[in-house]
Amino acid sequence: MVRIKNHKQRDIFNPWGFLSPKRRRILDESWPGLFREHLLDEMPVNQIVPFFSKDFGRPSKELYTLLGVLVLQQTMDLNDMDTIEQLSFNIQWHYALNISEESDSAKYISPKTLWSWRQVLIEHKLDQFIFNNLTEKLAKVFQVNTSSQRIDSVHIQSNMRRLGRIGIFSQTIHKFLINLKRQHPNLFGTISSPLIERYESSKALSAFSLVKPSESAKSLKIVSTDLYDLIEQFKNQPRVCQMHSYKLMQRVLNEQCNVQHDETGSKVTVKKPKEIPSDSLQNPSDPDAAYSGYKGQGYQVQLMETFTRNEDKEENKKNLNLVTHVAVERACEHDSNALIPAIADTQNRDLGPEKVLGDSSYGSDENQQKAKSALVELISPTHKSGHSDDINLRHFSFDNNGRVVTCPAGKLPYEVRYKKKTQRYSARFDLKNCTACPHVDQCLVVAGKKNYFLRYSHKDYRLAERRRYEASEEFIDIYRYRAGIEATMSQYDALTGVKRLRLRGLKAVRYCATLKAAGLNLLRAAAVRKAQRLSQRAENGFLSPFPFFKEQFFVLSAGLGKMLLPKPAAADCYLELAA
């Protein structure tokens, strides 16, 4: 049976009357008050109601509490037992989840329930519903301006061990033998004893980690041959071929080895490291993880957030930089493929940007054109090519149609032709002028029989215009705000522990990273609201020591009236009241 509490319904008596006004204010001004007031009702309980029977079975845990606990667990980076302890005894959690009754059904949740419903959210991608609801609500409450946003990625790791090539082979064989012994003991008995002794026990398996570098090639040959022999032994067993661990062995063989068949038999050779694809298996315990040559094994998270162009640090504290988009990918994916889906996702939720800042990984010409068609300006540097001393296309002058007007030396071309089919330009320059030019060896022009020619495509023209814009003060002034997302990534990890997760698999990693991004928005919004309220108190004349160091006069609220005192006198009054 489903149990849902209406948290909008007011209580006849104040259930939080046991809290002193000061403690109640602390809760209201921090994340528990923000979560309780604005976000608790945004939990998508309707998405999990279909998993319950309306009139049969024991009453469920209160659904808002259940989803709230799962969000707070990822926000605070807690394991299951610590999460249960916080729900049972932490008054901040009780206030945030609006739990006022003292009962086990309200303030306790079993590890099995926590695990089961986490799996439901993972399998049905409900974490994305939670993130979208909370983000859209915070954007309305804090009136976030989403016109300017920035995007970047961060590398994260699941709960898996880093393995070398020998470890990948041996662990994959070990996993297959364990599963085969459990599911098909009769077939397990047909395997040779030496092979079982090498891989079945963890103690024997640990010997592969002691291999000397000089003997690694020999060990690789042994494990690859054992892997191939096992695949060949059971390839005619349909029940074995359907096993997940058997398919992992086939995957490792295809990715790591070459098999040659001749009259004498089959020969297995291990591929060179550069021949192995980046999406190859990194660990049999997490088949979804991939490899990035720049960052290593694991996954990556794409984040897009809003930002404000304000030089005043105090004013910036009152503006919420909201994470509007989060997506989890395998580490082998390129950043350029993430920009357009991020723009489309935010536009569908009415959080779309007008400008997006990104590094050169996002700044391909294709992305530039697609973003422009979506009415979004992409501000990103292009990939640099060639020597800095060479004369590039950006040194030439063009008209609005992309035709060359003058060369870097100020010479005019005879004519400029454009072919629509190939979208290429061809400009003819005087042979004598180019021959006499001292920079002709560094220029892009090519000598012909009667003229020098400059040939370029419409894409080359667009890139030249972008490179010219990158040298302008306007680009430097706006692009410097892109660096702010690096601080977001650091905060994302420091507050939520996203770079090292407790779960494995793409779905589970996506669940953790998405809810942690929602938690980051919660903690940021709480800090912004606290800064806004402190600013309001200062404007209304409440007692505060900070203006002593900024203003010559200070409005002191005490007793029945307000007094305008010089800074030294205000400081003395403050010290007397504090004493």
Side-chain angles (χ1 to χ4, degrees):
M1 295 177 62
V2 182
R3 186 156 66 94
I4 302 176
K5 179 180 178 180
N6 184 6
H7 293 278
K8 295 182 180 180
Q9 182 177 353
R10 295 187 177 182
D11 298 302
I12 298 177
F13 302 100
N14 182 14
W16 307 102
F18 64 93
L19 293 172
S20 64
K22 181 179 291 186
R23 293 167 64 199
R24 178 71 180 273
R25 188 184 68 187
I26 292 174
L27 287 174
D28 282 330
E29 291 183 347
S30 58
W31 66 264
L34 177 65
F35 191 91
R36 177 174 179 267
E37 181 180 354
H38 296 294
L39 303 183
L40 184 60
D41 290 331
E42 299 300 321
M43 292 295 165
V45 295
N46 293 332
Q47 300 292 331
I48 63 174
V49 167
F51 297 100
F52 293 93
S53 175
K54 295 182 179 180
D55 52 4
F56 181 78
R58 295 182 61 185
S60 68
K61 289 293 179 181
E62 202 277 312
L63 297 190
Y64 283 102
T65 299
L66 183 64
L67 293 180
V69 166
L70 293 173
V71 172
L72 295 181
Q73 178 186 21
Q74 297 302 324
T75 303
M76 308 303 173
D77 191 26
L78 303 175
N79 59 36
D80 288 351
M81 298 311 299
D82 289 341
T83 301
I84 295 171
E85 183 177 342
Q86 294 296 317
L87 177 62
S88 301
F89 305 108
N90 193 332
I91 194 173
Q92 288 183 312
W93 284 47
H94 301 162
Y95 193 79
L97 301 173
N98 196 25
I99 304 174
S100 56
E101 60 178 289
E102 292 290 339
S103 65
D104 288 346
S105 62
K107 293 184 177 180
Y108 176 80
I109 186 172
S110 69
K112 178 64 168 61
T113 301
L114 192 64
W115 183 88
S116 298
W117 284 106
R118 180 169 59 239
Q119 292 302 118
V120 171
L121 265 63
I122 290 173
E123 291 298 328
H124 296 85
K125 300 182 179 181
L126 300 182
D127 49 277
Q128 196 65 51
F129 283 95
I130 296 176
F131 173 81
N132 292 346
N133 289 359
L134 301 191
T135 302
E136 292 165 13
K137 182 65 175 181
L138 289 175
K140 292 179 182 178
V141 172
F142 289 86
Q143 299 178 352
V144 178
N145 182 6
T146 62
S147 60
S148 300
Q149 300 190 35
R150 52 198 176 196
I151 186 172
D152 202 2
S153 63
V154 60
H155 184 80
I156 64 176
Q157 292 181 329
S158 61
N159 187 21
M160 74 172 191
R161 178 184 170 190
R162 182 182 178 89
L163 297 177
R165 299 182 70 182
I166 297 176
I168 294 174
F169 278 99
S170 58
Q171 291 287 347
T172 305
I173 295 174
H174 172 74
K175 184 174 184 178
F176 171 73
L177 293 178
I178 295 300
N179 292 338
L180 184 66
K181 184 178 181 180
R182 184 185 301 117
Q183 300 178 23
H184 308 289
N186 295 333
L187 295 176
F188 178 80
T190 61
I191 302 176
S192 62
S193 299
L195 191 146
I196 294 177
E197 293 175 358
R198 281 198 295 268
Y199 301 100
E200 183 185 13
S201 66
S202 57
K203 184 177 181 180
L205 199 63
S206 62
F208 288 102
S209 62
L210 305 176
V211 176
K212 297 180 181 179
S214 58
E215 299 178 356
S216 60
K218 180 180 178 181
S219 299
L220 270 174
K221 184 177 180 180
I222 294 174
V223 294
S224 61
T225 303
D226 291 342
L227 183 79
Y228 176 75
D229 291 341
L230 285 173
I231 293 175
E232 288 295 308
Q233 181 177 351
F234 296 103
K235 67 179 182 180
N236 296 323
Q237 298 288 342
R239 293 180 298 172
V240 177
C241 293
Q242 294 176 359
M243 293 172 56
H244 177 66
S245 55
Y246 182 85
K247 294 178 181 179
L248 286 180
M249 289 200 304
Q250 291 178 318
R251 177 181 172 183
V252 171
L253 183 69
N254 294 331
E255 294 172 347
Q256 301 277 350
C257 303
N258 290 320
V259 181
Q260 298 176 351
H261 302 281
D262 54 24
E263 297 178 355
T264 59
S266 300
K267 182 180 179 181
V268 181
T269 57
V270 181
K271 294 180 180 178
K272 296 181 180 180
K274 63 180 181 181
E275 298 176 357
I276 300 173
S278 58
D279 60 349
S280 62
L281 183 70
Q282 304 300 312
N283 192 314
S285 64
D286 191 352
D288 295 329
Y291 180 79
S292 169
Y294 177 61
K295 298 179 180 179
Q297 299 174 346
Y299 301 85
Q300 66 181 13
V301 181
Q302 299 286 345
L303 284 189
M304 190 158 72
E305 68 164 356
T306 63
F307 71 94
T308 54
R309 300 177 62 182
N310 197 328
E311 301 295 337
D312 191 346
K313 293 184 179 180
E314 295 300 323
E315 288 297 323
N316 276 335
K317 293 180 180 179
K318 303 175 190 177
N319 297 320
L320 176 60
N321 289 343
L322 188 68
V323 177
T324 58
H325 171 79
V326 56
V328 179
E329 304 170 335
R330 305 177 70 192
C332 60
E333 298 293 334
H334 197 272
D335 288 341
S336 61
N337 301 324
L339 176 67
I340 304 305
I343 293 176
D345 175 51
T346 52
Q347 288 181 340
N348 292 336
R349 293 156 45 218
D350 296 329
L351 298 175
E354 297 176 2
K355 292 183 179 180
V356 175
L357 305 185
D359 58 26
S360 57
S361 299
Y362 302 91
S364 65
D365 181 71
E366 182 181 2
N367 279 349
Q368 188 81 19
Q369 297 305 307
K370 290 182 179 179
K372 186 177 181 180
S373 63
L375 303 180
V376 176
E377 180 184 2
L378 174 61
I379 302 176
S380 171
T382 59
H383 285 285
K384 299 298 185 292
S385 60
H387 299 287
S388 58
D389 296 335
D390 292 347
I391 297 178
N392 298 317
L393 201 61
R394 64 185 178 90
H395 296 100
F396 290 78
S397 299
F398 300 88
D399 61 14
N400 294 332
N401 296 323
R403 298 176 180 270
V404 173
V405 178
T406 59
C407 74
K411 303 299 181 179
L412 301 177
Y414 280 149
E415 66 172 345
V416 180
R417 295 181 179 180
Y418 176 70
K419 295 183 179 180
K420 292 184 179 181
K421 292 184 178 180
T422 59
Q423 294 187 348
R424 294 190 63 83
Y425 295 88
S426 178
R428 288 194 303 128
F429 287 91
D430 183 75
L431 184 65
K432 295 181 179 180
N433 292 336
C434 290
T435 304
C437 180
H439 304 291
V440 66
D441 294 335
Q442 300 174 349
C443 190
L444 294 178
V445 294
V446 179
K449 291 183 179 180
K450 297 182 180 181
N451 301 99
Y452 271 79
F453 293 90
L454 174 67
R455 298 182 177 90
Y456 60 96
S457 65
H458 201 275
K459 176 181 177 179
D460 296 333
Y461 159 70
R462 293 194 299 265
L463 292 176
E465 289 298 300
R466 288 178 58 189
R467 292 190 177 105
R468 198 196 319 275
Y469 175 63
E470 290 170 21
S472 66
E473 293 294 332
E474 181 183 357
F475 177 86
I476 295 174
D477 181 64
I478 180 63
Y479 188 69
R480 62 193 176 97
Y481 289 97
R482 192 214 70 85
I485 200 170
E486 302 293 347
T488 298
M489 296 305 186
S490 178
Q491 191 179 38
Y492 189 29
D493 178 47
L495 296 179
T496 67
V498 71
K499 287 189 178 180
R500 189 67 182 180
L501 303 176
R502 292 183 173 91
L503 302 178
R504 289 191 290 263
L506 180 60
K507 292 182 180 180
V509 170
R510 184 209 63 232
Y511 162 84
C512 293
T514 304
L515 291 191
K516 287 179 184 294
L520 177 62
N521 281 338
L522 167 64
L523 298 178
R524 279 183 160 187
V528 169
R529 188 168 76 158
K530 186 174 183 179
Q532 291 175 347
R533 292 190 176 183
L534 287 175
S535 177
Q536 291 176 358
R537 289 201 198 97
E539 292 176 359
N540 294 332
F542 287 101
L543 186 62
S544 174
F546 300 109
F548 297 163
F549 306 98
K550 296 183 179 180
E551 301 178 3
Q552 184 177 2
F553 294 96
F554 175 64
V555 178
L556 179 67
S557 296
L560 300 177
K562 297 182 179 179
M563 298 176 289
L564 184 65
L565 300 177
K567 183 165 59 174
D572 294 339
C573 292
Y574 174 75
L575 294 176
E576 291 179 6
L577 290 173

